[in-house]
Each structure stands twice: as structure tokens, then as C-alpha cells.
PDB file of all heavy atoms in Angstrom:
ATOM      1  N   GLU F 205      43.352  68.402   2.333  1.00  0.00           N
ATOM      2  CA  GLU F 205      42.528  68.292   3.452  1.00  0.00           C
ATOM      3  C   GLU F 205      41.201  67.653   3.084  1.00  0.00           C
ATOM      4  O   GLU F 205      40.604  66.792   3.801  1.00  0.00           O
ATOM      5  CB  GLU F 205      42.265  69.650   4.039  1.00  0.00           C
ATOM      6  CG  GLU F 205      41.332  69.578   5.330  1.00  0.00           C
ATOM      7  CD  GLU F 205      41.078  70.965   5.881  1.00  0.00           C
ATOM      8  OE1 GLU F 205      40.681  71.875   5.133  1.00  0.00           O
ATOM      9  OE2 GLU F 205      41.234  71.055   7.139  1.00  0.00           O
ATOM     10  N   HIS F 206      40.632  68.036   1.940  1.00  0.00           N
ATOM     11  CA  HIS F 206      39.357  67.462   1.480  1.00  0.00           C
ATOM     12  C   HIS F 206      39.512  65.972   1.181  1.00  0.00           C
ATOM     13  O   HIS F 206      38.654  65.176   1.501  1.00  0.00           O
ATOM     14  CB  HIS F 206      38.840  68.290   0.278  1.00  0.00           C
ATOM     15  CG  HIS F 206      38.140  69.506   0.643  1.00  0.00           C
ATOM     16  ND1 HIS F 206      38.842  70.703   0.945  1.00  0.00           N
ATOM     17  CD2 HIS F 206      36.786  69.835   0.837  1.00  0.00           C
ATOM     18  CE1 HIS F 206      38.012  71.649   1.214  1.00  0.00           C
ATOM     19  NE2 HIS F 206      36.748  71.112   1.168  1.00  0.00           N
ATOM     20  N   VAL F 207      40.635  65.602   0.563  1.00  0.00           N
ATOM     21  CA  VAL F 207      40.936  64.198   0.326  1.00  0.00           C
ATOM     22  C   VAL F 207      41.030  63.458   1.614  1.00  0.00           C
ATOM     23  O   VAL F 207      40.417  62.329   1.756  1.00  0.00           O
ATOM     24  CB  VAL F 207      42.092  64.027  -0.539  1.00  0.00           C
ATOM     25  CG1 VAL F 207      42.584  62.557  -0.666  1.00  0.00           C
ATOM     26  CG2 VAL F 207      41.891  64.579  -1.970  1.00  0.00           C
ATOM     27  N   ASP F 208      41.708  63.942   2.508  1.00  0.00           N
ATOM     28  CA  ASP F 208      41.856  63.354   3.889  1.00  0.00           C
ATOM     29  C   ASP F 208      40.445  63.248   4.595  1.00  0.00           C
ATOM     30  O   ASP F 208      40.261  62.172   5.281  1.00  0.00           O
ATOM     31  CB  ASP F 208      42.807  64.144   4.711  1.00  0.00           C
ATOM     32  CG  ASP F 208      43.218  63.381   6.041  1.00  0.00           C
ATOM     33  OD1 ASP F 208      43.564  62.185   5.895  1.00  0.00           O
ATOM     34  OD2 ASP F 208      43.199  64.005   7.083  1.00  0.00           O
ATOM     35  N   GLU F 209      39.612  64.192   4.359  1.00  0.00           N
ATOM     36  CA  GLU F 209      38.350  64.081   5.026  1.00  0.00           C
ATOM     37  C   GLU F 209      37.528  62.925   4.496  1.00  0.00           C
ATOM     38  O   GLU F 209      36.711  62.344   5.265  1.00  0.00           O
ATOM     39  CB  GLU F 209      37.510  65.375   4.807  1.00  0.00           C
ATOM     40  CG  GLU F 209      38.018  66.550   5.664  1.00  0.00           C
ATOM     41  CD  GLU F 209      37.291  67.839   5.384  1.00  0.00           C
ATOM     42  OE1 GLU F 209      36.378  67.877   4.496  1.00  0.00           O
ATOM     43  OE2 GLU F 209      37.683  68.845   6.022  1.00  0.00           O
ATOM     44  N   LEU F 210      37.744  62.522   3.297  1.00  0.00           N
ATOM     45  CA  LEU F 210      37.116  61.315   2.742  1.00  0.00           C
ATOM     46  C   LEU F 210      37.431  60.090   3.548  1.00  0.00           C
ATOM     47  O   LEU F 210      36.533  59.252   3.945  1.00  0.00           O
ATOM     48  CB  LEU F 210      37.370  61.088   1.274  1.00  0.00           C
ATOM     49  CG  LEU F 210      36.834  61.986   0.251  1.00  0.00           C
ATOM     50  CD1 LEU F 210      37.419  61.708  -1.114  1.00  0.00           C
ATOM     51  CD2 LEU F 210      35.334  61.970   0.249  1.00  0.00           C
ATOM     52  N   ARG F 211      38.737  60.002   3.856  1.00  0.00           N
ATOM     53  CA  ARG F 211      39.219  58.860   4.744  1.00  0.00           C
ATOM     54  C   ARG F 211      38.609  58.902   6.088  1.00  0.00           C
ATOM     55  O   ARG F 211      38.154  57.856   6.677  1.00  0.00           O
ATOM     56  CB  ARG F 211      40.724  58.858   4.786  1.00  0.00           C
ATOM     57  CG  ARG F 211      41.365  58.418   3.583  1.00  0.00           C
ATOM     58  CD  ARG F 211      42.662  57.699   3.865  1.00  0.00           C
ATOM     59  NE  ARG F 211      43.463  57.480   2.709  1.00  0.00           N
ATOM     60  CZ  ARG F 211      43.388  56.423   1.935  1.00  0.00           C
ATOM     61  NH1 ARG F 211      42.533  55.486   2.255  1.00  0.00           N
ATOM     62  NH2 ARG F 211      44.112  56.264   0.916  1.00  0.00           N
ATOM     63  N   MET F 212      38.547  60.121   6.656  1.00  0.00           N
ATOM     64  CA  MET F 212      38.000  60.249   8.019  1.00  0.00           C
ATOM     65  C   MET F 212      36.533  59.950   8.072  1.00  0.00           C
ATOM     66  O   MET F 212      35.997  59.503   9.102  1.00  0.00           O
ATOM     67  CB  MET F 212      38.313  61.723   8.519  1.00  0.00           C
ATOM     68  CG  MET F 212      39.752  61.911   8.774  1.00  0.00           C
ATOM     69  SD  MET F 212      40.087  63.485   9.690  1.00  0.00           S
ATOM     70  CE  MET F 212      39.350  64.697   8.626  1.00  0.00           C
ATOM     71  N   ARG F 213      35.834  60.135   6.978  1.00  0.00           N
ATOM     72  CA  ARG F 213      34.420  59.785   6.872  1.00  0.00           C
ATOM     73  C   ARG F 213      34.228  58.323   6.664  1.00  0.00           C
ATOM     74  O   ARG F 213      32.998  57.875   6.578  1.00  0.00           O
ATOM     75  CB  ARG F 213      33.683  60.641   5.811  1.00  0.00           C
ATOM     76  CG  ARG F 213      33.460  62.021   6.206  1.00  0.00           C
ATOM     77  CD  ARG F 213      32.583  62.735   5.201  1.00  0.00           C
ATOM     78  NE  ARG F 213      33.374  63.706   4.499  1.00  0.00           N
ATOM     79  CZ  ARG F 213      33.246  64.004   3.290  1.00  0.00           C
ATOM     80  NH1 ARG F 213      32.395  63.415   2.469  1.00  0.00           N
ATOM     81  NH2 ARG F 213      33.997  64.955   2.656  1.00  0.00           N
ATOM     82  N   GLY F 214      35.225  57.544   6.484  1.00  0.00           N
ATOM     83  CA  GLY F 214      35.071  56.136   6.376  1.00  0.00           C
ATOM     84  C   GLY F 214      35.033  55.614   4.975  1.00  0.00           C
ATOM     85  O   GLY F 214      34.560  54.464   4.813  1.00  0.00           O
ATOM     86  N   VAL F 215      35.345  56.421   3.972  1.00  0.00           N
ATOM     87  CA  VAL F 215      35.293  55.916   2.634  1.00  0.00           C
ATOM     88  C   VAL F 215      36.359  54.793   2.517  1.00  0.00           C
ATOM     89  O   VAL F 215      37.525  54.932   2.861  1.00  0.00           O
ATOM     90  CB  VAL F 215      35.651  56.976   1.579  1.00  0.00           C
ATOM     91  CG1 VAL F 215      35.658  56.490   0.174  1.00  0.00           C
ATOM     92  CG2 VAL F 215      34.588  58.099   1.639  1.00  0.00           C
ATOM     93  N   THR F 216      35.904  53.619   2.069  1.00  0.00           N
ATOM     94  CA  THR F 216      36.786  52.406   2.009  1.00  0.00           C
ATOM     95  C   THR F 216      37.820  52.503   0.964  1.00  0.00           C
ATOM     96  O   THR F 216      37.687  53.224   0.010  1.00  0.00           O
ATOM     97  CB  THR F 216      35.994  51.135   1.851  1.00  0.00           C
ATOM     98  OG1 THR F 216      35.355  51.204   0.613  1.00  0.00           O
ATOM     99  CG2 THR F 216      34.894  51.017   2.947  1.00  0.00           C
ATOM    100  N   SER F 217      38.863  51.761   1.191  1.00  0.00           N
ATOM    101  CA  SER F 217      39.963  51.794   0.201  1.00  0.00           C
ATOM    102  C   SER F 217      39.585  51.309  -1.160  1.00  0.00           C
ATOM    103  O   SER F 217      40.100  51.722  -2.202  1.00  0.00           O
ATOM    104  CB  SER F 217      41.128  50.928   0.689  1.00  0.00           C
ATOM    105  OG  SER F 217      40.736  49.664   0.851  1.00  0.00           O
ATOM    106  N   ASP F 218      38.532  50.454  -1.212  1.00  0.00           N
ATOM    107  CA  ASP F 218      37.959  50.030  -2.497  1.00  0.00           C
ATOM    108  C   ASP F 218      37.432  51.141  -3.337  1.00  0.00           C
ATOM    109  O   ASP F 218      37.525  51.162  -4.507  1.00  0.00           O
ATOM    110  CB  ASP F 218      36.879  48.917  -2.326  1.00  0.00           C
ATOM    111  CG  ASP F 218      37.412  47.668  -1.709  1.00  0.00           C
ATOM    112  OD1 ASP F 218      38.644  47.424  -1.764  1.00  0.00           O
ATOM    113  OD2 ASP F 218      36.637  46.901  -1.169  1.00  0.00           O
ATOM    114  N   SER F 219      36.767  52.013  -2.728  1.00  0.00           N
ATOM    115  CA  SER F 219      36.077  53.161  -3.409  1.00  0.00           C
ATOM    116  C   SER F 219      36.809  54.490  -3.270  1.00  0.00           C
ATOM    117  O   SER F 219      36.343  55.532  -3.878  1.00  0.00           O
ATOM    118  CB  SER F 219      34.698  53.302  -2.997  1.00  0.00           C
ATOM    119  OG  SER F 219      34.553  53.541  -1.613  1.00  0.00           O
ATOM    120  N   PHE F 220      37.923  54.555  -2.461  1.00  0.00           N
ATOM    121  CA  PHE F 220      38.511  55.768  -2.063  1.00  0.00           C
ATOM    122  C   PHE F 220      39.038  56.529  -3.366  1.00  0.00           C
ATOM    123  O   PHE F 220      38.772  57.700  -3.469  1.00  0.00           O
ATOM    124  CB  PHE F 220      39.623  55.615  -1.065  1.00  0.00           C
ATOM    125  CG  PHE F 220      40.342  56.836  -0.774  1.00  0.00           C
ATOM    126  CD1 PHE F 220      39.828  57.836   0.090  1.00  0.00           C
ATOM    127  CD2 PHE F 220      41.589  57.082  -1.326  1.00  0.00           C
ATOM    128  CE1 PHE F 220      40.434  59.051   0.368  1.00  0.00           C
ATOM    129  CE2 PHE F 220      42.250  58.307  -1.030  1.00  0.00           C
ATOM    130  CZ  PHE F 220      41.694  59.190  -0.206  1.00  0.00           C
ATOM    131  N   GLN F 221      39.844  55.862  -4.151  1.00  0.00           N
ATOM    132  CA  GLN F 221      40.474  56.527  -5.288  1.00  0.00           C
ATOM    133  C   GLN F 221      39.409  57.134  -6.148  1.00  0.00           C
ATOM    134  O   GLN F 221      39.543  58.301  -6.662  1.00  0.00           O
ATOM    135  CB  GLN F 221      41.366  55.603  -6.076  1.00  0.00           C
ATOM    136  CG  GLN F 221      42.587  55.152  -5.232  1.00  0.00           C
ATOM    137  CD  GLN F 221      43.515  56.289  -4.930  1.00  0.00           C
ATOM    138  OE1 GLN F 221      43.536  57.299  -5.616  1.00  0.00           O
ATOM    139  NE2 GLN F 221      44.316  56.086  -3.868  1.00  0.00           N
ATOM    140  N   ALA F 222      38.408  56.438  -6.528  1.00  0.00           N
ATOM    141  CA  ALA F 222      37.312  56.984  -7.326  1.00  0.00           C
ATOM    142  C   ALA F 222      36.512  58.144  -6.728  1.00  0.00           C
ATOM    143  O   ALA F 222      36.275  59.135  -7.386  1.00  0.00           O
ATOM    144  CB  ALA F 222      36.305  55.871  -7.645  1.00  0.00           C
ATOM    145  N   ALA F 223      36.281  57.952  -5.374  1.00  0.00           N
ATOM    146  CA  ALA F 223      35.638  59.104  -4.695  1.00  0.00           C
ATOM    147  C   ALA F 223      36.422  60.412  -4.630  1.00  0.00           C
ATOM    148  O   ALA F 223      36.011  61.489  -4.850  1.00  0.00           O
ATOM    149  CB  ALA F 223      35.222  58.657  -3.325  1.00  0.00           C
ATOM    150  N   ALA F 224      37.733  60.197  -4.381  1.00  0.00           N
ATOM    151  CA  ALA F 224      38.679  61.307  -4.279  1.00  0.00           C
ATOM    152  C   ALA F 224      38.853  62.038  -5.623  1.00  0.00           C
ATOM    153  O   ALA F 224      38.776  63.192  -5.731  1.00  0.00           O
ATOM    154  CB  ALA F 224      40.025  60.917  -3.775  1.00  0.00           C
ATOM    155  N   ALA F 225      38.953  61.247  -6.667  1.00  0.00           N
ATOM    156  CA  ALA F 225      39.064  61.743  -8.048  1.00  0.00           C
ATOM    157  C   ALA F 225      37.794  62.493  -8.449  1.00  0.00           C
ATOM    158  O   ALA F 225      37.836  63.590  -9.046  1.00  0.00           O
ATOM    159  CB  ALA F 225      39.319  60.658  -9.044  1.00  0.00           C
ATOM    160  N   LYS F 226      36.651  61.978  -8.127  1.00  0.00           N
ATOM    161  CA  LYS F 226      35.368  62.621  -8.411  1.00  0.00           C
ATOM    162  C   LYS F 226      35.276  63.959  -7.698  1.00  0.00           C
ATOM    163  O   LYS F 226      34.884  65.020  -8.232  1.00  0.00           O
ATOM    164  CB  LYS F 226      34.202  61.763  -8.171  1.00  0.00           C
ATOM    165  CG  LYS F 226      32.851  62.430  -8.476  1.00  0.00           C
ATOM    166  CD  LYS F 226      31.697  61.419  -8.313  1.00  0.00           C
ATOM    167  CE  LYS F 226      30.311  62.038  -8.585  1.00  0.00           C
ATOM    168  NZ  LYS F 226      30.196  63.412  -9.006  1.00  0.00           N
ATOM    169  N   MET F 227      35.565  63.919  -6.373  1.00  0.00           N
ATOM    170  CA  MET F 227      35.472  65.137  -5.542  1.00  0.00           C
ATOM    171  C   MET F 227      36.416  66.193  -6.121  1.00  0.00           C
ATOM    172  O   MET F 227      35.964  67.378  -6.237  1.00  0.00           O
ATOM    173  CB  MET F 227      35.777  64.829  -4.157  1.00  0.00           C
ATOM    174  CG  MET F 227      35.689  66.009  -3.239  1.00  0.00           C
ATOM    175  SD  MET F 227      36.906  66.225  -1.902  1.00  0.00           S
ATOM    176  CE  MET F 227      38.388  65.476  -2.510  1.00  0.00           C
ATOM    177  N   ALA F 228      37.615  65.779  -6.429  1.00  0.00           N
ATOM    178  CA  ALA F 228      38.612  66.741  -6.978  1.00  0.00           C
ATOM    179  C   ALA F 228      38.172  67.367  -8.287  1.00  0.00           C
ATOM    180  O   ALA F 228      38.180  68.570  -8.552  1.00  0.00           O
ATOM    181  CB  ALA F 228      39.982  66.067  -7.095  1.00  0.00           C
ATOM    182  N   THR F 229      37.687  66.534  -9.178  1.00  0.00           N
ATOM    183  CA  THR F 229      37.232  66.921 -10.531  1.00  0.00           C
ATOM    184  C   THR F 229      36.042  67.798 -10.402  1.00  0.00           C
ATOM    185  O   THR F 229      35.916  68.818 -11.105  1.00  0.00           O
ATOM    186  CB  THR F 229      36.908  65.654 -11.419  1.00  0.00           C
ATOM    187  OG1 THR F 229      38.076  64.895 -11.466  1.00  0.00           O
ATOM    188  CG2 THR F 229      36.548  66.093 -12.786  1.00  0.00           C
ATOM    189  N   ASP F 230      35.059  67.449  -9.578  1.00  0.00           N
ATOM    190  CA  ASP F 230      33.836  68.210  -9.321  1.00  0.00           C
ATOM    191  C   ASP F 230      34.140  69.605  -8.853  1.00  0.00           C
ATOM    192  O   ASP F 230      33.457  70.590  -9.155  1.00  0.00           O
ATOM    193  CB  ASP F 230      32.838  67.540  -8.497  1.00  0.00           C
ATOM    194  CG  ASP F 230      32.197  66.253  -9.113  1.00  0.00           C
ATOM    195  OD1 ASP F 230      32.390  66.084 -10.339  1.00  0.00           O
ATOM    196  OD2 ASP F 230      31.516  65.550  -8.415  1.00  0.00           O
ATOM    197  N   GLY F 231      35.177  69.688  -8.028  1.00  0.00           N
ATOM    198  CA  GLY F 231      35.509  70.958  -7.389  1.00  0.00           C
ATOM    199  C   GLY F 231      36.583  71.769  -8.103  1.00  0.00           C
ATOM    200  O   GLY F 231      36.873  72.922  -7.764  1.00  0.00           O
ATOM    201  N   ALA F 232      37.043  71.307  -9.212  1.00  0.00           N
ATOM    202  CA  ALA F 232      38.141  71.953 -10.005  1.00  0.00           C
ATOM    203  C   ALA F 232      37.524  73.260 -10.578  1.00  0.00           C
ATOM    204  O   ALA F 232      36.477  73.251 -11.268  1.00  0.00           O
ATOM    205  CB  ALA F 232      38.649  71.066 -11.123  1.00  0.00           C
ATOM    206  N   GLY F 233      38.161  74.371 -10.294  1.00  0.00           N
ATOM    207  CA  GLY F 233      37.767  75.689 -10.791  1.00  0.00           C
ATOM    208  C   GLY F 233      36.767  76.469  -9.858  1.00  0.00           C
ATOM    209  O   GLY F 233      36.548  77.624 -10.069  1.00  0.00           O
ATOM    210  N   THR F 234      36.300  75.714  -8.863  1.00  0.00           N
ATOM    211  CA  THR F 234      35.472  76.349  -7.920  1.00  0.00           C
ATOM    212  C   THR F 234      36.110  76.318  -6.458  1.00  0.00           C
ATOM    213  O   THR F 234      36.674  77.282  -6.082  1.00  0.00           O
ATOM    214  CB  THR F 234      34.041  75.746  -7.792  1.00  0.00           C
ATOM    215  OG1 THR F 234      34.098  74.394  -7.566  1.00  0.00           O
ATOM    216  CG2 THR F 234      33.296  76.021  -9.110  1.00  0.00           C
ATOM    217  N   ARG F 235      36.110  75.188  -5.959  1.00  0.00           N
ATOM    218  CA  ARG F 235      36.835  74.985  -4.627  1.00  0.00           C
ATOM    219  C   ARG F 235      38.376  74.845  -4.860  1.00  0.00           C
ATOM    220  O   ARG F 235      39.100  75.398  -4.060  1.00  0.00           O
ATOM    221  CB  ARG F 235      36.338  73.775  -3.891  1.00  0.00           C
ATOM    222  CG  ARG F 235      34.932  73.951  -3.293  1.00  0.00           C
ATOM    223  CD  ARG F 235      34.527  72.710  -2.515  1.00  0.00           C
ATOM    224  NE  ARG F 235      34.421  71.586  -3.403  1.00  0.00           N
ATOM    225  CZ  ARG F 235      34.208  70.303  -3.045  1.00  0.00           C
ATOM    226  NH1 ARG F 235      34.207  69.995  -1.750  1.00  0.00           N
ATOM    227  NH2 ARG F 235      34.081  69.393  -3.905  1.00  0.00           N
ATOM    228  N   PHE F 236      38.669  74.092  -5.854  1.00  0.00           N
ATOM    229  CA  PHE F 236      40.093  73.744  -6.003  1.00  0.00           C
ATOM    230  C   PHE F 236      40.697  74.307  -7.310  1.00  0.00           C
ATOM    231  O   PHE F 236      40.018  74.481  -8.333  1.00  0.00           O
ATOM    232  CB  PHE F 236      40.235  72.184  -6.055  1.00  0.00           C
ATOM    233  CG  PHE F 236      39.557  71.491  -4.967  1.00  0.00           C
ATOM    234  CD1 PHE F 236      38.598  70.532  -5.283  1.00  0.00           C
ATOM    235  CD2 PHE F 236      39.786  71.748  -3.647  1.00  0.00           C
ATOM    236  CE1 PHE F 236      37.879  69.805  -4.252  1.00  0.00           C
ATOM    237  CE2 PHE F 236      39.108  71.099  -2.597  1.00  0.00           C
ATOM    238  CZ  PHE F 236      38.133  70.167  -2.947  1.00  0.00           C
ATOM    239  N   ASP F 237      42.008  74.540  -7.199  1.00  0.00           N
ATOM    240  CA  ASP F 237      42.792  75.098  -8.365  1.00  0.00           C
ATOM    241  C   ASP F 237      42.854  73.910  -9.355  1.00  0.00           C
ATOM    242  O   ASP F 237      43.167  72.836  -9.071  1.00  0.00           O
ATOM    243  CB  ASP F 237      44.167  75.458  -7.837  1.00  0.00           C
ATOM    244  CG  ASP F 237      45.039  75.960  -8.925  1.00  0.00           C
ATOM    245  OD1 ASP F 237      45.403  75.198  -9.779  1.00  0.00           O
ATOM    246  OD2 ASP F 237      45.391  77.166  -8.861  1.00  0.00           O
ATOM    247  N   ARG F 238      42.475  74.281 -10.639  1.00  0.00           N
ATOM    248  CA  ARG F 238      42.566  73.240 -11.700  1.00  0.00           C
ATOM    249  C   ARG F 238      43.931  72.580 -11.872  1.00  0.00           C
ATOM    250  O   ARG F 238      44.004  71.400 -12.152  1.00  0.00           O
ATOM    251  CB  ARG F 238      42.086  73.896 -13.050  1.00  0.00           C
ATOM    252  CG  ARG F 238      40.626  74.241 -13.099  1.00  0.00           C
ATOM    253  CD  ARG F 238      40.267  74.832 -14.497  1.00  0.00           C
ATOM    254  NE  ARG F 238      38.923  75.377 -14.458  1.00  0.00           N
ATOM    255  CZ  ARG F 238      37.835  74.664 -14.552  1.00  0.00           C
ATOM    256  NH1 ARG F 238      37.875  73.371 -14.596  1.00  0.00           N
ATOM    257  NH2 ARG F 238      36.687  75.338 -14.509  1.00  0.00           N
ATOM    258  N   ALA F 239      45.014  73.438 -11.728  1.00  0.00           N
ATOM    259  CA  ALA F 239      46.344  72.831 -11.905  1.00  0.00           C
ATOM    260  C   ALA F 239      46.691  71.857 -10.725  1.00  0.00           C
ATOM    261  O   ALA F 239      47.322  70.821 -10.964  1.00  0.00           O
ATOM    262  CB  ALA F 239      47.365  73.953 -11.981  1.00  0.00           C
TER     263      ALA F 239
END
């Protein structure tokens, strides 16, 4: 859902993968399960 919200906020395909990876990594262990 959080990854999908990036798309809904208009993150472009050029920067989407990097933004999604950063969001996931930054939230690992707090918001998101590390595995």
C-alpha cells in the first residue's frame, strides 16, 4: 500500500524504483517487516 501511494502521489517512473526502495529501506524494522 505504501509503495502504491508513491504512484498515486505522482512519483514518476524515472524515480519510482529509487523512491520506493528508499521508503522501504527507511521503514524497515519500524513501519515494515525487515523480511
Side-chain angles (χ1 to χ4, degrees):
E205 180 181 51
H206 280 81
V207 168
D208 191 47
E209 285 175 3
L210 289 175
R211 284 211 192 271
M212 291 189 304
R213 282 190 251 142
V215 176
T216 64
S217 58
D218 293 341
S219 61
F220 176 77
Q221 293 298 334
K226 180 174 180 358
M227 184 217 32
T229 302
D230 289 350
T234 55
R235 288 184 292 171
F236 311 123
D237 181 293
R238 290 183 191 279

